[in-house]
Amino acid sequence: MATVSVPAGTRALLLDIEGTTTPITFVKDILFPYIREHLEDYLSCHWEEDECKQDVHLLKKQIEEDMKQNRSCPVHAVDQTVHTDEEKAIREVVDNVLWQMAADRKSTALKQLQGHMWRSAYASGRIKGEIYQDVIPAIKRWKEQGLKVYIYSSGSVEAQKLLFGYSVEGDVLDLFDGHFDTTIGAKVERKSYERIAERIVCRPEEITFLTDVTREAKAAEEAGVNAVLVVRPGNMELTDDERAHYDLITSFSQLEWKGCV
């Protein structure tokens, strides 16, 4: 693919993770299976700890919201105050988390629990964050040119920092100026990008968003943000209309910026 020029007025790049900076296979074949395999043991070991209680509380609120919205949910609401049947309560949490993962939910409650579980796996060296080889050199080049670089992912900010803090490239967190997750809003909603623009003190048109998901790109465009689609192995196939509408890159090295901050 040809070189893609970022608008000269761009001051900040906003990067998705899965399918953009990081292979989808890392998330689907390493991170998610780790949760499924260790979830029940993790809850059993940490059930009485404040952090775990907070995670379960958020899950309970999510379940209640799902019930109000008549969304399918396989379990009854989890009550963190009931300790007479701890195994049953843990089982209910496990069932709900696995259901959310199977449905590819992006709820903040789910992402927070996952982030806390991955923390110990990264710290122990059992998991190292995968990053495409073209990503770090490109970010360093953009930073040298004076651009700000931010992450926006459905994964929690903690999970993002773990991936880049314990990556195959080492700790590269100092390359990023900030991180955003679904607490700022869903990635398919226009207002999320407007809030990010406000938070980083940029006009929407001064931001370029890199993602592999067209629904996210569309929401960003609706907010006035420039969107570039990243085409990587294993990413969802694009339609002819999508390919015609969006700028496409297969490597960060194709992205060029010639402007002044």
Side-chain angles (χ1 to χ4, degrees), residues 10-12 140-149 177 257 260-261:
T10 297
R11 294 175 54 206
K140 288 179 177 178
R141 174 165 50 88
W142 299 333
K143 299 286 288 183
E144 288 171 358
Q145 291 175 314
L147 291 169
K148 300 284 189 179
V149 181
D177 295 280
W257 177 76
C260 297
V261 175

Side-chain angles (χ1 to χ4, degrees), residues 16-247:
D16 169 49
I17 292 180
E18 183 181 351
T20 300
T21 67
T22 297
I24 284 180
T25 51
F26 173 68
V27 177
K28 296 189 180 303
D29 297 343
I30 296 176
L31 291 185
F32 285 173
Y34 180 86
I35 299 295
R36 296 187 189 99
E37 292 168 16
H38 296 90
L39 179 57
E40 191 158 358
D41 287 343
Y42 175 87
L43 291 171
S44 297
C45 290
H46 301 281
W47 190 253
E48 295 295 338
E49 297 173 11
D50 288 344
E51 184 176 80
C52 188
K53 288 181 179 180
Q54 292 169 6
D55 291 343
V56 172
H57 177 67
L58 270 185
L59 286 166
K60 175 183 176 180
K61 289 178 65 176
Q62 181 63 56
I63 291 169
E64 291 172 348
E65 180 62 27
D66 286 341
M67 288 179 170
K68 289 178 185 176
Q69 300 294 329
N70 293 319
R71 293 193 183 102
S72 175
C73 190
V75 296
H76 297 294
V78 177
D79 188 353
Q80 174 65 17
T81 65
V82 175
H83 299 293
T84 55
D85 194 354
E86 183 176 297
E87 288 185 358
K88 180 175 182 294
I90 289 174
R91 188 66 249 172
E92 287 178 336
V93 174
V94 169
D95 288 345
N96 181 264
V97 168
L98 294 180
W99 170 74
Q100 289 200 56
M101 290 178 67
D104 198 25
R105 295 287 296 277
K106 308 292 186 184
S107 73
T108 298
L110 172 65
K111 296 303 178 181
Q112 178 171 300
L113 174 62
Q114 289 175 328
H116 291 156
M117 288 186 63
W118 288 323
R119 181 175 55 205
S120 61
Y122 278 111
S124 67
R126 282 178 287 177
I127 292 177
K128 284 190 180 295
E130 293 184 17
I131 305 173
Y132 283 113
Q133 290 184 347
D134 57 90
V135 171
I136 300 305
I139 293 177
K140 288 179 177 178
R141 174 165 50 88
W142 299 333
K143 299 286 288 183
E144 288 171 358
Q145 291 175 314
L147 291 169
K148 300 284 189 179
V149 181
Y150 299 87
I151 293 291
Y152 181 29
S153 172
S154 57
S156 67
V157 167
E158 179 172 13
Q160 298 172 27
K161 290 182 176 180
L162 288 169
L163 192 156
F164 292 109
Y166 295 93
S167 82
V168 293
E169 301 281 350
D171 184 348
V172 295
L173 282 173
D174 61 345
L175 293 176
F176 302 103
D177 295 280
H179 300 257
F180 298 96
D181 58 20
T182 54
T183 58
I184 198 101
K187 295 176 73 181
V188 294
E189 294 178 357
R190 170 181 56 83
K191 287 189 176 295
S192 303
Y193 300 89
E194 294 173 349
R195 294 187 191 108
I196 289 174
E198 291 176 6
R199 189 76 63 86
I200 66 177
V201 197
C202 281
R203 296 191 302 273
E205 60 269 24
E206 294 175 327
I207 303 170
T208 293
F209 177 47
L210 273 59
T211 180
D212 64 306
V213 180
T214 52
R215 289 181 65 206
E216 296 173 2
K218 183 175 184 293
E221 280 191 330
E222 289 173 352
V225 171
N226 179 52
V228 175
L229 281 180
V230 183
V231 180
R232 303 280 199 185
N235 287 2
M236 188 174 294
E237 287 293 326
L238 303 176
T239 66
D240 290 341
D241 287 344
E242 290 167 344
R243 286 182 173 275
H245 178 78
Y246 293 102
D247 286 326

